[in-house]
PDB file of all heavy atoms in Angstrom:
ATOM      1  N   ASN A  45     -10.403  16.006 -22.384  1.00  0.00           N
ATOM      2  CA  ASN A  45     -11.327  16.081 -23.520  1.00  0.00           C
ATOM      3  C   ASN A  45     -10.766  16.872 -24.689  1.00  0.00           C
ATOM      4  O   ASN A  45     -11.376  16.916 -25.748  1.00  0.00           O
ATOM      5  CB  ASN A  45     -12.663  16.672 -23.079  1.00  0.00           C
ATOM      6  CG  ASN A  45     -13.466  15.668 -22.267  1.00  0.00           C
ATOM      7  OD1 ASN A  45     -13.069  14.518 -22.141  1.00  0.00           O
ATOM      8  ND2 ASN A  45     -14.585  16.112 -21.714  1.00  0.00           N
ATOM      9  N   LYS A  49      -8.488  14.415 -28.574  1.00  0.00           N
ATOM     10  CA  LYS A  49      -8.845  14.857 -29.930  1.00  0.00           C
ATOM     11  C   LYS A  49      -7.632  15.468 -30.629  1.00  0.00           C
ATOM     12  O   LYS A  49      -7.500  15.351 -31.850  1.00  0.00           O
ATOM     13  CB  LYS A  49      -9.985  15.878 -29.916  1.00  0.00           C
ATOM     14  CG  LYS A  49     -11.025  15.725 -28.837  1.00  0.00           C
ATOM     15  CD  LYS A  49     -11.695  14.377 -28.779  1.00  0.00           C
ATOM     16  CE  LYS A  49     -12.588  14.240 -27.553  1.00  0.00           C
ATOM     17  NZ  LYS A  49     -13.629  15.238 -27.423  1.00  0.00           N
ATOM     18  N   ARG A 116     -14.815   5.937 -25.387  1.00  0.00           N
ATOM     19  CA  ARG A 116     -15.675   6.459 -26.448  1.00  0.00           C
ATOM     20  C   ARG A 116     -14.955   7.483 -27.333  1.00  0.00           C
ATOM     21  O   ARG A 116     -15.236   7.601 -28.533  1.00  0.00           O
ATOM     22  CB  ARG A 116     -16.915   7.092 -25.814  1.00  0.00           C
ATOM     23  CG  ARG A 116     -17.839   7.687 -26.818  1.00  0.00           C
ATOM     24  CD  ARG A 116     -19.031   8.354 -26.165  1.00  0.00           C
ATOM     25  NE  ARG A 116     -19.655   9.266 -27.106  1.00  0.00           N
ATOM     26  CZ  ARG A 116     -20.598   8.914 -27.960  1.00  0.00           C
ATOM     27  NH1 ARG A 116     -21.050   7.691 -27.990  1.00  0.00           N
ATOM     28  NH2 ARG A 116     -21.096   9.804 -28.802  1.00  0.00           N
ATOM     29  N   ALA A 117     -14.013   8.222 -26.753  1.00  0.00           N
ATOM     30  CA  ALA A 117     -13.329   9.265 -27.535  1.00  0.00           C
ATOM     31  C   ALA A 117     -12.567   8.684 -28.725  1.00  0.00           C
ATOM     32  O   ALA A 117     -12.119   9.432 -29.600  1.00  0.00           O
ATOM     33  CB  ALA A 117     -12.394  10.065 -26.637  1.00  0.00           C
ATOM     34  N   ARG A 145     -25.640   7.948 -25.754  1.00  0.00           N
ATOM     35  CA  ARG A 145     -24.615   8.667 -26.499  1.00  0.00           C
ATOM     36  C   ARG A 145     -24.539   8.238 -27.958  1.00  0.00           C
ATOM     37  O   ARG A 145     -23.569   7.644 -28.402  1.00  0.00           O
ATOM     38  CB  ARG A 145     -23.267   8.512 -25.804  1.00  0.00           C
ATOM     39  CG  ARG A 145     -23.321   8.924 -24.369  1.00  0.00           C
ATOM     40  CD  ARG A 145     -22.018   8.768 -23.648  1.00  0.00           C
ATOM     41  NE  ARG A 145     -21.116   9.880 -23.874  1.00  0.00           N
ATOM     42  CZ  ARG A 145     -19.977  10.051 -23.220  1.00  0.00           C
ATOM     43  NH1 ARG A 145     -19.599   9.195 -22.333  1.00  0.00           N
ATOM     44  NH2 ARG A 145     -19.213  11.076 -23.463  1.00  0.00           N
ATOM     45  N   GLY A 146     -25.583   8.567 -28.704  1.00  0.00           N
ATOM     46  CA  GLY A 146     -25.661   8.170 -30.112  1.00  0.00           C
ATOM     47  C   GLY A 146     -24.625   8.837 -30.995  1.00  0.00           C
ATOM     48  O   GLY A 146     -23.902   9.745 -30.585  1.00  0.00           O
ATOM     49  N   LEU A 147     -24.563   8.347 -32.219  1.00  0.00           N
ATOM     50  CA  LEU A 147     -23.613   8.887 -33.195  1.00  0.00           C
ATOM     51  C   LEU A 147     -24.341   9.400 -34.437  1.00  0.00           C
ATOM     52  O   LEU A 147     -23.717   9.634 -35.469  1.00  0.00           O
ATOM     53  CB  LEU A 147     -22.624   7.793 -33.623  1.00  0.00           C
ATOM     54  CG  LEU A 147     -21.655   7.303 -32.551  1.00  0.00           C
ATOM     55  CD1 LEU A 147     -20.853   6.120 -33.060  1.00  0.00           C
ATOM     56  CD2 LEU A 147     -20.722   8.426 -32.129  1.00  0.00           C
ATOM     57  N   ASP A 148     -25.672   9.558 -34.331  1.00  0.00           N
ATOM     58  CA  ASP A 148     -26.444   9.887 -35.537  1.00  0.00           C
ATOM     59  C   ASP A 148     -26.008  11.195 -36.192  1.00  0.00           C
ATOM     60  O   ASP A 148     -25.955  11.299 -37.417  1.00  0.00           O
ATOM     61  CB  ASP A 148     -27.947   9.916 -35.204  1.00  0.00           C
ATOM     62  CG  ASP A 148     -28.270  10.783 -34.007  1.00  0.00           C
ATOM     63  OD1 ASP A 148     -27.511  10.737 -33.021  1.00  0.00           O
ATOM     64  OD2 ASP A 148     -29.260  11.526 -34.059  1.00  0.00           O
ATOM     65  N   MET A 149     -25.631  12.182 -35.408  1.00  0.00           N
ATOM     66  CA  MET A 149     -25.233  13.470 -36.011  1.00  0.00           C
ATOM     67  C   MET A 149     -23.873  13.381 -36.698  1.00  0.00           C
ATOM     68  O   MET A 149     -23.635  14.040 -37.704  1.00  0.00           O
ATOM     69  CB  MET A 149     -25.224  14.564 -34.948  1.00  0.00           C
ATOM     70  CG  MET A 149     -26.609  15.017 -34.557  1.00  0.00           C
ATOM     71  SD  MET A 149     -26.531  16.373 -33.387  1.00  0.00           S
ATOM     72  CE  MET A 149     -26.665  15.494 -31.857  1.00  0.00           C
ATOM     73  N   HIS A 150     -22.995  12.525 -36.160  1.00  0.00           N
ATOM     74  CA  HIS A 150     -21.704  12.307 -36.840  1.00  0.00           C
ATOM     75  C   HIS A 150     -21.993  11.717 -38.232  1.00  0.00           C
ATOM     76  O   HIS A 150     -21.446  12.147 -39.243  1.00  0.00           O
ATOM     77  CB  HIS A 150     -20.835  11.283 -36.100  1.00  0.00           C
ATOM     78  CG  HIS A 150     -20.488  11.630 -34.683  1.00  0.00           C
ATOM     79  ND1 HIS A 150     -19.187  11.785 -34.257  1.00  0.00           N
ATOM     80  CD2 HIS A 150     -21.246  11.821 -33.580  1.00  0.00           C
ATOM     81  CE1 HIS A 150     -19.177  12.050 -32.969  1.00  0.00           C
ATOM     82  NE2 HIS A 150     -20.409  12.070 -32.531  1.00  0.00           N
ATOM     83  N   PHE A 185     -28.364  19.473 -32.237  1.00  0.00           N
ATOM     84  CA  PHE A 185     -27.963  19.757 -30.865  1.00  0.00           C
ATOM     85  C   PHE A 185     -26.467  20.052 -30.936  1.00  0.00           C
ATOM     86  O   PHE A 185     -25.772  19.425 -31.742  1.00  0.00           O
ATOM     87  CB  PHE A 185     -28.255  18.479 -30.063  1.00  0.00           C
ATOM     88  CG  PHE A 185     -27.705  18.449 -28.686  1.00  0.00           C
ATOM     89  CD1 PHE A 185     -28.451  18.929 -27.626  1.00  0.00           C
ATOM     90  CD2 PHE A 185     -26.444  17.934 -28.438  1.00  0.00           C
ATOM     91  CE1 PHE A 185     -27.930  18.887 -26.347  1.00  0.00           C
ATOM     92  CE2 PHE A 185     -25.931  17.902 -27.166  1.00  0.00           C
ATOM     93  CZ  PHE A 185     -26.674  18.385 -26.115  1.00  0.00           C
ATOM     94  N   SER A 187     -23.578  19.067 -30.323  1.00  0.00           N
ATOM     95  CA  SER A 187     -22.803  17.919 -29.831  1.00  0.00           C
ATOM     96  C   SER A 187     -21.311  18.183 -29.965  1.00  0.00           C
ATOM     97  O   SER A 187     -20.831  18.584 -31.025  1.00  0.00           O
ATOM     98  CB  SER A 187     -23.190  16.678 -30.647  1.00  0.00           C
ATOM     99  OG  SER A 187     -22.122  15.764 -30.717  1.00  0.00           O
ATOM    100  N   VAL A 188     -20.601  17.933 -28.879  1.00  0.00           N
ATOM    101  CA  VAL A 188     -19.151  18.099 -28.878  1.00  0.00           C
ATOM    102  C   VAL A 188     -18.519  17.140 -29.895  1.00  0.00           C
ATOM    103  O   VAL A 188     -17.764  17.536 -30.785  1.00  0.00           O
ATOM    104  CB  VAL A 188     -18.592  17.839 -27.454  1.00  0.00           C
ATOM    105  CG1 VAL A 188     -17.073  17.739 -27.449  1.00  0.00           C
ATOM    106  CG2 VAL A 188     -19.064  18.918 -26.499  1.00  0.00           C
ATOM    107  N   GLY A 189     -18.861  15.855 -29.766  1.00  0.00           N
ATOM    108  CA  GLY A 189     -18.234  14.847 -30.624  1.00  0.00           C
ATOM    109  C   GLY A 189     -18.558  15.059 -32.098  1.00  0.00           C
ATOM    110  O   GLY A 189     -17.675  14.963 -32.956  1.00  0.00           O
ATOM    111  N   THR A 328     -22.039  19.436 -17.747  1.00  0.00           N
ATOM    112  CA  THR A 328     -22.536  18.158 -17.206  1.00  0.00           C
ATOM    113  C   THR A 328     -21.430  17.408 -16.462  1.00  0.00           C
ATOM    114  O   THR A 328     -21.697  16.667 -15.515  1.00  0.00           O
ATOM    115  CB  THR A 328     -23.128  17.282 -18.337  1.00  0.00           C
ATOM    116  OG1 THR A 328     -23.508  16.023 -17.792  1.00  0.00           O
ATOM    117  CG2 THR A 328     -22.151  17.039 -19.465  1.00  0.00           C
ATOM    118  N   ASP A 329     -20.178  17.616 -16.872  1.00  0.00           N
ATOM    119  CA  ASP A 329     -19.071  16.909 -16.216  1.00  0.00           C
ATOM    120  C   ASP A 329     -18.766  17.447 -14.817  1.00  0.00           C
ATOM    121  O   ASP A 329     -17.912  16.898 -14.116  1.00  0.00           O
ATOM    122  CB  ASP A 329     -17.803  16.973 -17.081  1.00  0.00           C
ATOM    123  CG  ASP A 329     -17.906  16.079 -18.318  1.00  0.00           C
ATOM    124  OD1 ASP A 329     -18.872  15.313 -18.417  1.00  0.00           O
ATOM    125  OD2 ASP A 329     -17.003  16.147 -19.172  1.00  0.00           O
ATOM    126  N   LEU A 351     -28.019  16.517 -20.560  1.00  0.00           N
ATOM    127  CA  LEU A 351     -27.167  15.953 -21.614  1.00  0.00           C
ATOM    128  C   LEU A 351     -27.132  14.434 -21.652  1.00  0.00           C
ATOM    129  O   LEU A 351     -27.195  13.845 -22.724  1.00  0.00           O
ATOM    130  CB  LEU A 351     -25.740  16.524 -21.515  1.00  0.00           C
ATOM    131  CG  LEU A 351     -25.673  17.873 -22.206  1.00  0.00           C
ATOM    132  CD1 LEU A 351     -25.991  18.985 -21.250  1.00  0.00           C
ATOM    133  CD2 LEU A 351     -24.348  18.104 -22.870  1.00  0.00           C
ATOM    134  N   PHE A 352     -27.000  13.814 -20.480  1.00  0.00           N
ATOM    135  CA  PHE A 352     -26.858  12.356 -20.462  1.00  0.00           C
ATOM    136  C   PHE A 352     -27.921  11.735 -19.569  1.00  0.00           C
ATOM    137  O   PHE A 352     -28.006  12.030 -18.380  1.00  0.00           O
ATOM    138  CB  PHE A 352     -25.458  11.957 -19.985  1.00  0.00           C
ATOM    139  CG  PHE A 352     -24.388  12.346 -20.941  1.00  0.00           C
ATOM    140  CD1 PHE A 352     -23.482  13.344 -20.633  1.00  0.00           C
ATOM    141  CD2 PHE A 352     -24.283  11.726 -22.182  1.00  0.00           C
ATOM    142  CE1 PHE A 352     -22.487  13.713 -21.533  1.00  0.00           C
ATOM    143  CE2 PHE A 352     -23.308  12.089 -23.090  1.00  0.00           C
ATOM    144  CZ  PHE A 352     -22.417  13.081 -22.768  1.00  0.00           C
ATOM    145  N   ARG A 355     -26.960   9.796 -16.157  1.00  0.00           N
ATOM    146  CA  ARG A 355     -25.909  10.409 -15.357  1.00  0.00           C
ATOM    147  C   ARG A 355     -26.227  10.450 -13.859  1.00  0.00           C
ATOM    148  O   ARG A 355     -25.366  10.808 -13.055  1.00  0.00           O
ATOM    149  CB  ARG A 355     -25.611  11.804 -15.887  1.00  0.00           C
ATOM    150  CG  ARG A 355     -24.334  12.336 -15.354  1.00  0.00           C
ATOM    151  CD  ARG A 355     -23.480  13.010 -16.378  1.00  0.00           C
ATOM    152  NE  ARG A 355     -22.084  12.741 -16.060  1.00  0.00           N
ATOM    153  CZ  ARG A 355     -21.079  13.328 -16.665  1.00  0.00           C
ATOM    154  NH1 ARG A 355     -21.277  14.186 -17.624  1.00  0.00           N
ATOM    155  NH2 ARG A 355     -19.839  13.030 -16.331  1.00  0.00           N
TER     156      ARG A 355
HETATM  157  C1  LIG B   1     -18.033  15.098 -24.670  1.00  0.00           C
HETATM  158  C2  LIG B   1     -17.103  14.852 -23.518  1.00  0.00           C
HETATM  159  C3  LIG B   1     -17.885  14.543 -22.248  1.00  0.00           C
HETATM  160  C4  LIG B   1     -18.899  15.643 -21.979  1.00  0.00           C
HETATM  161  C5  LIG B   1     -19.759  15.893 -23.216  1.00  0.00           C
HETATM  162  C6  LIG B   1     -20.711  17.063 -23.061  1.00  0.00           C
HETATM  163  C7  LIG B   1     -15.123  13.930 -24.538  1.00  0.00           C
HETATM  164  C8  LIG B   1     -14.239  12.754 -24.687  1.00  0.00           C
HETATM  165  N1  LIG B   1     -16.230  13.741 -23.819  1.00  0.00           N
HETATM  166  O1  LIG B   1     -18.739  13.875 -24.909  1.00  0.00           O
HETATM  167  O2  LIG B   1     -16.964  14.446 -21.160  1.00  0.00           O
HETATM  168  O3  LIG B   1     -19.733  15.241 -20.922  1.00  0.00           O
HETATM  169  O4  LIG B   1     -18.918  16.168 -24.352  1.00  0.00           O
HETATM  170  O5  LIG B   1     -20.024  18.211 -22.715  1.00  0.00           O
HETATM  171  O6  LIG B   1     -14.842  15.013 -25.009  1.00  0.00           O
HETATM  172  N2  LIG B   1     -25.710  12.763 -29.149  1.00  0.00           N
HETATM  173  C9  LIG B   1     -26.573  12.164 -30.033  1.00  0.00           C
HETATM  174  N3  LIG B   1     -26.144  11.967 -31.318  1.00  0.00           N
HETATM  175  C10 LIG B   1     -24.903  12.325 -31.752  1.00  0.00           C
HETATM  176  C11 LIG B   1     -24.026  12.921 -30.822  1.00  0.00           C
HETATM  177  C12 LIG B   1     -24.458  13.120 -29.519  1.00  0.00           C
HETATM  178  O7  LIG B   1     -27.691  11.827 -29.699  1.00  0.00           O
HETATM  179  O8  LIG B   1     -24.591  12.118 -32.930  1.00  0.00           O
HETATM  180  C13 LIG B   1     -26.162  12.961 -27.749  1.00  0.00           C
HETATM  181  C14 LIG B   1     -25.438  12.050 -26.818  1.00  0.00           C
HETATM  182  O9  LIG B   1     -26.108  10.815 -26.732  1.00  0.00           O
HETATM  183  C15 LIG B   1     -25.489  12.805 -25.530  1.00  0.00           C
HETATM  184  C16 LIG B   1     -25.460  14.276 -25.962  1.00  0.00           C
HETATM  185  O10 LIG B   1     -25.822  14.274 -27.327  1.00  0.00           O
HETATM  186  O11 LIG B   1     -26.685  12.560 -24.863  1.00  0.00           O
HETATM  187  C17 LIG B   1     -24.131  14.947 -25.762  1.00  0.00           C
HETATM  188  O12 LIG B   1     -23.165  14.336 -26.583  1.00  0.00           O
HETATM  189  P1  LIG B   1     -21.849  15.089 -27.069  1.00  0.00           P
HETATM  190  O13 LIG B   1     -21.980  16.576 -26.865  1.00  0.00           O
HETATM  191  O14 LIG B   1     -21.536  14.601 -28.430  1.00  0.00           O
HETATM  192  O15 LIG B   1     -20.791  14.579 -26.030  1.00  0.00           O
HETATM  193  P2  LIG B   1     -19.532  13.645 -26.267  1.00  0.00           P
HETATM  194  O16 LIG B   1     -18.717  14.168 -27.403  1.00  0.00           O
HETATM  195  O17 LIG B   1     -19.960  12.232 -26.284  1.00  0.00           O
END
Side-chain angles (χ1 to χ4, degrees):
N45 286 354
K49 327 305 172 57
R116 178 182 162 88
R145 306 179 82 171
L147 293 173
D148 51 319
M149 285 184 265
H150 301 240
F185 170 90
S187 151
V188 169
T328 176
D329 288 352
L351 277 90
F352 293 111
R355 195 136 215 189

